[in-house]
Amino acid sequence: MEKASVTLTIKFLLLQYLFAFSIAQDFDFFYFVQQWPGSYCDTKKSCCYPTTGKPAADFGIHGLWPNYKDGTYPSNCDPNNSYDESKISDLISRMQQDWATLACPSNSGSTFWSHEWDKHGTCSESNLDQHAYFKAALSLKSKFDLLQILQSAGINPDGGSYSLSDIKSAISNAIGYAPWIECNSDADGSKQLYQIYLCVDTSGSNLIACPTFPHGKCAPTIQFPSF
């Protein structure tokens, strides 16, 4: 009887551990998404520069998004752990530079960052607290300079048209993994380079081969507008 009780206790503890582990690992990878500001601003919707001024002509962070291998994703995972800027005060100057908002009306960026944490960041909080989450995205941005990679391959934000396959090849040759390219349309309806997706492991530190790509299509040749 005593032996059976011990066995049941062990099984119960094991189930608790497995349940806790499943929660802690409740996503498979991150999409690290960077956005070209020129392609955000030249649409019919246009844009507003943040209160800190016009951002640099460089890819800016859009987000670090937990995803599942089947293409779905978790969102708004913890309403009790809302964005708290005091927790990332040492990162704000870097975020204003590398994670700038272009939404209207003009603002400091806090609304954008709050949205990213509340919708996406809270779904990785078992791995990354709020400070670690934003720091991870900033570190990835520093480690993989997409503009420099493209310019080194002769692909420049000069309003010219470039082969989509050349853009993908330039990035994959530099980082070792295939990116996913998202296009949008400018005010005249021309397809252009909008966002670049890289896949990252659940630690938020290392690039991996993308288990799946988002849906959407680009034209075979797309524009790379100036900013």
Side-chain angles (χ1 to χ4, degrees):
M1 192 75 176
E2 199 173 304
K3 192 172 183 180
S5 177
V6 170
T7 301
L8 284 172
T9 301
I10 291 172
K11 285 182 177 179
F12 177 72
L13 291 173
L14 182 60
L15 285 171
Q16 280 192 315
Y17 170 79
L18 291 173
F19 178 71
F21 183 77
S22 69
I23 293 174
Q25 298 293 324
D26 198 24
F27 67 103
D28 298 318
F29 68 99
F30 287 106
Y31 281 131
F32 177 54
V33 186
Q34 294 188 64
Q35 182 179 86
W36 180 248
S39 299
Y40 186 103
C41 290
D42 71 356
T43 63
K44 289 181 180 179
K45 186 179 177 182
S46 191
C47 71
C48 293
Y49 297 154
T51 51
T52 49
K54 182 180 179 180
D58 191 8
F59 284 93
I61 299 169
H62 185 170
L64 185 64
W65 303 340
N67 270 259
Y68 300 123
K69 290 179 180 178
D70 65 3
T72 62
Y73 61 90
S75 64
N76 301 102
C77 295
D78 188 356
N80 297 316
N81 188 10
S82 297
Y83 174 75
D84 182 352
E85 200 153 293
S86 67
K87 294 180 178 179
I88 56 168
S89 57
D90 61 312
L91 302 176
I92 294 300
S93 62
R94 288 179 63 194
M95 290 170 65
Q96 289 171 339
Q97 176 182 329
D98 293 339
W99 204 328
T101 180
L102 291 167
C104 296
S106 180
N107 63 91
S108 67
S110 293
T111 301
F112 182 23
W113 305 327
S114 176
H115 168 79
E116 290 301 310
W117 169 256
D118 292 344
K119 182 176 181 179
H120 301 288
T122 55
C123 298
S124 64
E125 63 185 8
S126 55
N127 294 20
L128 302 170
D129 63 21
Q130 195 167 147
H131 187 276
Y133 173 79
F134 286 104
K135 187 176 180 180
L138 291 168
S139 296
L140 289 166
K141 168 81 171 74
S142 298
K143 193 186 290 188
F144 304 105
D145 189 333
L146 293 178
L147 182 59
Q148 185 179 58
I149 287 169
L150 292 175
Q151 289 181 318
S152 295
I155 300 168
N156 300 292
D158 53 11
S161 296
Y162 296 93
S163 160
L164 178 63
S165 62
D166 286 347
I167 293 171
K168 289 180 177 178
S169 294
I171 296 170
S172 60
N173 289 340
I175 67 174
Y177 297 101
W180 191 75
I181 307 298
E182 180 182 355
C183 294
N184 68 352
S185 299
D186 65 14
D188 297 323
S190 299
K191 290 293 184 182
Q192 57 186 1
L193 174 59
Y194 177 43
Q195 297 195 130
I196 298 175
Y197 290 60
L198 306 178
C199 291
V200 181
D201 67 11
T202 55
S203 75
S205 303
N206 307 299
L207 293 185
I208 59 171
C210 286
T212 186
F213 287 118
H215 299 293
K217 292 183 178 179
C218 290
T221 300
I222 58 177
Q223 294 181 0
F224 193 5
S226 59
F227 178 64

